[in-house]
Amino acid sequence: MINAMAFEDRERGGAPEGDQLVVDLDGYEGPLDVLLTLAREQKVDLTKISILALADQYLAFIATARRLQLEVAADYLVMAAWLAYLKSRLLLPEPPGPDQPTGDELAAMLTHQLRRLEAMRGVAARLMALPRLDRDVFGRGAPEGLPRRLVPRYEATLLELLRAYGELRQRKENAVLRIVPPELYSMEEALERLQRMVGRVPEWRSLISFLPPILGRGLIERSAIAATFAASLEMARAGKLELRQDRSFGPVFVRSKPGVI
Amino acid sequence: MSSSDGEITDVSGASDRAQQLRLIEALLFASAAPLDAATIAERFPDGADVPALIAELEREYRGRGVNLVFVAGGWTFRTAADLADKLGLEKVVPRRLSRAGIETLAIIAYHQPVTRAEIEGIRGVAVSSGTLDVLMETGWIAPVGRRETPGRPVTWGTTDAFLLHFGLADRRDLPGIEELRATGLVGLHPLTVAETAAQTLPFAPAAAVEERDRDEEEAEDDSGGA
Amino acid sequence: MSSSDGEITDVSGASDRAQQLRLIEALLFASAAPLDAATIAERFPDGADVPALIAELEREYRGRGVNLVFVAGGWTFRTAADLADKLGLEKVVPRRLSRAGIETLAIIAYHQPVTRAEIEGIRGVAVSSGTLDVLMETGWIAPVGRRETPGRPVTWGTTDAFLLHFGLADRRDLPGIEELRATGLVGLHPLTVAETAAQTLPFAPAAAVEERDRDEEEAEDDSGGA
């Protein structure tokens, strides 16, 4: 069925004429192609074509082919039969019944088919006429190409960084055995503290004022008071301090022993 | 092209732009495939106006032996089309397509995605599987999906290789497609038209229908296996 | 196909020459291998001065993103050498730092300038050179000097890229260990009751105080040096 030469011929020289049509049935791409070729012979816009005349031409074409004993493929005959039917629909009054398309509608459909096929042939020719790569236009013969480099982008958040450092420090701390110092203020500490102050207290001052600056922590404060009191007694016994208490449970006062300075 | 910015080493505003142009030029020359503006823009983190730079480059190369063209969704350099005959560089002798092949290619290009039955409806004749095979071999068409109708037939469309070969920007860049759309010869309801035609017009004879069904099964096997 | 004189002869001298330049340009562009003047001259049966045309083309492309160069016995277009390293498409692959990496980075950030031996002392395990290499690759650390001790070991510190990445204005903005504790990033030691008290009482464990003081001093030293 495919006959490239016939196509090329027609592309160059337009449609083949008369007898050539009849004998060269194999040059056609099916009945629609024949119809289109015949339609072109009416030399009018396809939208204005006479479908009746076209049907007649086609039927005559097939009749000639058969008379010449050419083998006519079944689809050409089916088209002939359908065109004969279309012709009758166009010529006779429309039978009632909404389901069937009218003869005019069938004709319009055929016209659309022909126009579309013709349009496709037109754009096919335009498509093939485009400058083609490696035939009409050329890309760069030796493109260097664009190498793809994989660039790692490291991701870490500040939170991760801080957490890592925190865990590191914690790990280190956990690894060191640390003996927690006793929470009580020791006698030794109180003694040391008082001894540093000896000689600088000419006037009587409350023993409480010699306590280290302790906030809250009742137990520690009480241990400090006890330790400092015991230390003051120890230092009074050593002759370095004087103690005075005016009444029972009253505040204890302390001063440097005169002459010790 | 008349300007020869020989010494583009310092980065004052003007030569900065010249340097950007140089880089785009080099990129497009070096790349084997067309590059779109977005890909090019990746090289300019500081946000150069890549489309404007490309447009400038395109202007500079207009009328030269090599032109900057937009093909298959990207920019690429091509020898000027008018030099085709003088270059005599035919690298690939493209397989000569039959008339059926050319028409089928055009129908696929203009009506994609399109089923084989629809192609036959338009051409009024059966499409031999050989025709589709040859077109597949060119790499210009490929199965692109299935029509959600009974039988779920394979639909065909064109490829990037098709766009590259014919120098088309994209599938809407086909010659004459707008007129065809406007006149209803392409687009709108190709399916409806084809189906209506199949019901009312004798374009698909019984024998052809059988052959088509068989071929389509084969095509389906192919696409399924690919 | 090869002959082009038919079209060239009837144009004016100037555009004749321009046309010859276009053709040479296209030929050199499309050719897969460098072309010598003789091969090009074969396209000009009327005897154009091909070497002069090539020289003109070479001048026109000087300083552009693409140059016409003479290599391997022929002329060919090449992307400009100075742009070579900018042509590669960089594909960014996100990668996470290893545990060792992030810890080492943290130590460098907090203790800089710090030697590798000191990092190992703090981590309690050896620091592989791979870890430092990866950190160098991130651009977040750099050698900042040498410790004036035997062997003069390299000291490490963080970079501006580090500050940028982690959104810090200054290295001193890193929260101190006590702040980390306050936010729960450092868990409370089971025996830290006394330590907490150490903030207010003069009973603090001497060791802890000393360590903290040293850290703070170092941080101050660094920022002073930066």
Side-chain angles (χ1 to χ4, degrees):
Chain A
M1 195 71 87
I2 297 163
N3 189 326
M5 285 314 292
F7 174 61
E8 297 292 327
D9 287 344
R10 267 183 292 172
E11 272 209 324
R12 279 178 211 139
E17 305 282 327
D19 287 343
Q20 223 180 330
L21 271 184
V22 178
V23 294
D24 197 12
L25 194 60
D26 275 356
Y28 287 94
E29 289 278 328
L32 202 57
D33 184 24
V34 173
L35 272 176
L36 185 56
T37 308
L38 293 170
R40 297 312 310 166
E41 292 189 340
Q42 291 191 11
K43 297 194 188 345
V44 291
D45 189 276
L46 280 181
T47 52
K48 300 190 182 81
I49 202 155
S50 160
I51 291 294
L52 264 182
L54 187 63
D56 282 339
Q57 281 176 294
Y58 183 87
L59 293 171
F61 168 79
I62 295 297
T64 312
R66 299 189 84 174
R67 198 174 61 240
L68 292 175
Q69 311 234 306
L70 291 170
E71 204 172 320
V72 178
D75 48 349
Y76 288 84
L77 298 178
V78 171
M79 175 60 89
W82 187 83
L83 285 172
Y85 165 74
L86 173 61
K87 212 176 133 183
S88 70
R89 291 290 303 274
L90 289 171
L91 291 175
L92 300 175
E94 289 293 338
D99 292 343
Q100 291 280 60
T102 67
D104 286 341
E105 282 168 349
L106 287 175
M109 242 175 251
L110 179 59
T111 305
H112 179 79
Q113 290 284 318
L114 290 173
R115 286 180 63 212
R116 191 167 59 173
L117 180 59
E118 190 185 47
M120 280 303 112
R121 293 201 170 150
V123 293
R126 287 174 71 179
L127 192 62
M128 300 318 271
L130 289 173
R132 313 259 288 270
L133 183 63
D134 290 342
R135 195 192 72 174
D136 305 311
V137 299
F138 299 87
R140 180 139 181 241
E144 288 98 337
L146 302 178
R148 283 205 166 261
R149 281 203 303 262
L150 294 186
V151 179
R153 191 189 59 215
Y154 288 93
E155 289 174 344
T157 63
L158 187 60
L159 181 64
E160 285 173 298
L161 187 75
L162 300 181
R163 189 170 279 152
Y165 190 66
E167 285 170 9
L168 190 71
R169 292 295 298 260
Q170 194 182 349
R171 211 162 61 217
K172 214 184 156 204
E173 285 171 5
N174 287 349
V176 176
L177 176 62
R178 190 171 293 163
I179 304 209
V180 179
E183 290 198 353
L184 300 182
Y185 199 61
S186 71
M187 168 81 176
E188 286 78 11
E189 284 172 291
L191 201 54
E192 192 194 330
R193 184 177 170 82
L194 269 185
Q195 277 172 343
R196 274 192 271 123
M197 301 186 166
V198 158
R200 299 180 209 163
V201 192
E203 306 294 335
W204 288 106
R205 280 179 59 187
S206 165
L207 183 66
I208 296 299
S209 68
F210 288 91
L211 292 184
I214 302 166
L215 298 177
R217 297 213 161 247
L219 181 63
I220 292 179
E221 186 176 30
R222 283 205 300 280
S223 73
I225 292 169
T228 304
F229 181 60
S232 69
L233 292 178
E234 178 61 28
M235 289 185 68
R237 189 181 61 82
K240 294 174 179 168
L241 283 180
E242 286 182 341
L243 293 172
R244 177 170 67 89
Q245 187 176 32
D246 297 328
R247 52 186 162 86
S248 293
F249 303 112
V252 177
F253 294 95
V254 63
R255 73 170 181 191
S256 305
K257 189 163 174 127
V260 169
I261 301 168
Chain B
M1 215 27 194
S2 52
S3 77
S4 83
D5 315 311
E7 49 297 314
I8 304 167
T9 38
D10 63 324
V11 270
S12 63
S15 69
D16 194 18
R17 183 175 172 84
Q19 189 71 350
Q20 289 171 337
L21 272 177
R22 288 185 74 222
L23 182 55
I24 292 181
E25 188 178 31
L27 281 171
L28 290 168
F29 256 84
S31 176
L35 298 177
D36 61 12
T39 306
I40 295 170
E42 284 174 21
R43 313 305 173 99
F44 298 95
D46 47 346
D49 187 352
V50 171
L53 289 164
I54 293 173
E56 182 169 340
L57 209 55
E58 190 273 329
R59 271 196 307 279
E60 282 187 13
Y61 273 92
R62 223 179 272 172
R64 295 192 65 94
V66 173
N67 306 142
L68 185 54
V69 295
F70 188 77
V71 170
W75 293 93
T76 191
F77 282 108
R78 290 276 188 265
T79 59
D82 67 299
L83 296 175
D85 293 341
K86 293 161 196 154
L87 286 175
L89 277 175
E90 194 156 315
K91 288 179 182 171
V92 182
V93 182
R95 183 164 177 177
R96 210 184 172 83
L97 283 181
S98 68
R99 179 184 168 194
I102 292 170
E103 281 185 18
T104 303
L105 175 64
I107 291 168
I108 291 174
Y110 283 78
H111 290 263
Q112 60 189 306
V114 63
T115 68
R116 181 168 177 160
E118 289 158 8
I119 298 168
E120 292 175 338
I122 292 170
R123 293 194 66 228
V125 71
V127 173
S128 79
S129 56
T131 301
L132 284 178
D133 283 352
V134 167
L135 287 176
M136 284 275 277
E137 262 176 61
T138 63
W140 296 339
I141 68 162
V144 292
R146 289 181 182 278
R147 179 83 74 228
E148 291 304 330
T149 53
R152 302 188 68 241
V154 166
T155 56
W156 297 86
T158 54
T159 62
D160 276 0
F162 169 83
L163 298 176
L164 278 175
H165 184 83
F166 290 95
L168 298 166
D170 56 46
R171 279 177 301 187
R172 288 155 306 198
D173 189 32
L174 292 159
I177 195 165
E178 288 311 321
E179 299 113 83
L180 293 186
R181 285 242 170 82
T183 51
L185 293 172
V186 151
L188 300 181
H189 305 290
L191 176 64
T192 334
V193 175
E195 276 184 343
T196 316
Q199 285 164 11
T200 54
L201 298 178
F203 297 148
V209 171
E210 274 166 26
E211 187 191 316
R212 182 183 60 205
D213 289 345
R214 203 195 58 225
D215 288 351
E216 253 178 1
E217 273 168 26
E218 284 172 12
E220 280 175 12
D221 288 346
D222 289 350
S223 62
Chain C
M1 195 71 150
S2 60
S3 153
S4 57
D5 48 349
E7 294 210 21
I8 288 179
T9 42
D10 58 347
V11 288
S12 70
S15 69
D16 188 18
R17 185 176 174 80
Q19 191 70 351
Q20 288 171 337
L21 273 176
R22 290 183 73 221
L23 187 53
I24 293 181
E25 189 177 32
L27 276 173
L28 289 168
F29 170 81
S31 173
L35 297 178
D36 60 15
T39 307
I40 296 170
E42 285 170 21
R43 311 280 169 158
F44 298 92
D46 50 346
D49 187 353
V50 172
L53 290 166
I54 292 175
E56 180 168 345
L57 211 53
E58 190 275 329
R59 269 196 309 279
E60 282 187 11
Y61 274 94
R62 219 179 278 172
R64 295 191 66 94
V66 174
N67 307 139
L68 186 55
V69 295
F70 189 79
V71 289
W75 292 94
T76 189
F77 282 113
R78 285 272 193 276
T79 55
D82 65 306
L83 298 174
D85 59 329
K86 292 182 185 132
L87 290 181
L89 264 178
E90 294 189 349
K91 191 163 186 288
V92 173
V93 190
R95 204 172 286 174
R96 300 194 68 75
L97 280 182
S98 66
R99 177 84 204 157
I102 194 126
E103 279 188 14
T104 304
L105 177 64
I107 291 167
I108 293 173
Y110 273 90
H111 296 264
Q112 58 190 302
V114 62
T115 68
R116 181 165 166 172
E118 289 160 3
I119 297 169
E120 289 175 344
I122 293 167
R123 278 197 74 212
V125 286
V127 173
S128 78
S129 57
T131 302
L132 282 178
D133 285 349
V134 166
L135 288 176
M136 282 277 277
E137 217 182 304
T138 64
W140 295 337
I141 70 162
V144 291
R146 288 185 181 278
R147 179 82 75 231
E148 292 306 331
T149 54
R152 301 188 69 242
V154 166
T155 55
W156 298 87
T158 55
T159 62
D160 284 352
F162 169 85
L163 297 178
L164 268 178
H165 183 89
F166 291 96
L168 299 166
D170 193 287
R171 273 172 289 188
R172 281 170 301 186
D173 288 355
L174 281 171
I177 191 72
E178 293 310 331
E179 288 166 288
L180 293 182
R181 236 187 274 284
T183 53
L185 287 169
V186 178
L188 287 182
H189 192 284
L191 301 176
T192 45
V193 185
E195 267 185 66
T196 313
Q199 293 172 2
T200 49
L201 287 179
F203 308 131
V209 171
E210 269 169 28
E211 191 180 305
R212 188 183 55 205
D213 287 347
R214 200 197 61 220
D215 289 353
E216 275 164 14
E217 271 168 27
E218 280 182 10
E220 280 171 15
D221 286 349
D222 291 344
S223 59

